[in-house]
Amino acid sequence: MTQLSEAYATADAARGAMGHAPARVPIHRSTKTYDHSEGLSCCFRQWRAHSHCRLIHGYALAFRFVFATRELDECGWCFDFGGLKPVRAWLHEMFDHTMLVAEDDPNLSDFKRLEEKGMVTLRVLPKVGCEATAEHVFHHVARFVAEQTAGRVWLETVEVREHGGNSALYEGGTHELVLHLTGELSPK
């Protein structure tokens, strides 16, 4: 159950306890996908792995975003896909021909030297891997969406695909933040 679902379930339980019928709140969702042909080819190194993933390896990443709202805009849209141009540009900046390395990688200084020599475009993240990438992207895009829509729309999930067989999903706790911002959920 998502935090948003939990918030509504709690509200529904409270209404039921007060003799009111539980409210069913409709949610509109839309998705945006940047698939493998987008050209987001980057390299990773998971230095903690005991497998071949400890070696530098790369993927043409794909991203799938799920947006949600309870109120469509004046055009009848959840989120205007044309408004995602800054997200697409950021994805290219972060993941197009770049090298992702964890900030605690014991060989980080070697990667920084490679960048100084012009051999890699380095991106140092708190963690690397498909799951950590999904979380990193989620936080960036969730802030963007909340700002662009004044909290009307929230980002539910980000899926990152390494290839057809491997992906990771991240669902953040932004739902509650959006409800706080819109005044629909009182602070705990």
Side-chain angles (χ1 to χ4, degrees):
M1 182 177 278
T2 67
Q3 288 182 348
L4 183 63
S5 298
E6 289 175 33
Y8 285 118
T10 301
D12 286 347
R15 284 186 196 94
M18 294 185 300
H20 300 284
R24 290 190 43 92
V25 180
I27 302 289
H28 297 276
R29 289 181 176 83
S30 62
T31 64
K32 179 65 175 175
T33 301
Y34 299 96
D35 69 15
H36 297 290
S37 65
E38 186 72 27
L40 300 172
S41 300
C42 70
C43 292
F44 296 83
R45 173 178 134 84
Q46 179 45 269
W47 72 271
R48 293 177 184 272
H50 299 289
S51 67
H52 62 277
C53 288
R54 73 186 183 288
L55 304 173
I56 296 170
H57 59 288
Y59 300 105
L61 296 178
F63 295 87
R64 181 175 183 266
F65 300 93
V66 179
F67 306 99
T69 186
R70 287 179 295 138
E71 180 184 332
L72 299 176
D73 69 9
E74 63 276 358
C75 296
W77 297 337
C78 174
F79 191 87
D80 179 0
F81 295 129
L84 291 171
K85 288 179 178 74
V87 169
R88 183 178 182 270
W90 180 78
L91 289 172
H92 277 268
E93 178 185 324
M94 284 297 298
F95 304 108
D96 184 15
H97 290 78
T98 60
M99 174 77 197
L100 304 182
V101 177
E103 63 189 13
D104 66 347
D105 190 309
N107 296 107
L108 180 58
S109 60
D110 294 327
F111 289 109
K112 287 183 176 182
R113 279 195 292 282
L114 289 173
E115 183 176 44
E116 290 168 6
K117 291 180 174 187
M119 297 176 71
V120 299
T121 301
L122 189 62
R123 300 290 181 255
V124 179
L125 299 176
K127 297 177 184 175
V128 296
C130 204
E131 296 83 355
T133 301
E135 180 178 1
H136 181 75
V137 170
F138 179 93
H139 290 299
H140 180 83
V141 176
R143 279 190 302 275
F144 173 81
V145 169
E147 290 169 5
Q148 294 299 304
T149 65
R152 182 183 61 79
V153 177
W154 63 91
L155 181 60
E156 277 194 337
T157 60
V158 171
E159 180 179 14
V160 176
R161 288 198 158 280
E162 294 175 340
H163 50 72
N166 293 352
S167 73
L169 287 132
Y170 183 82
E171 179 180 338
T174 305
H175 315 300
E176 189 172 310
L177 173 62
V178 169
L179 292 173
H180 282 295
L181 290 173
T182 60
E184 297 176 37
L185 183 67
S186 59
K188 292 179 181 177

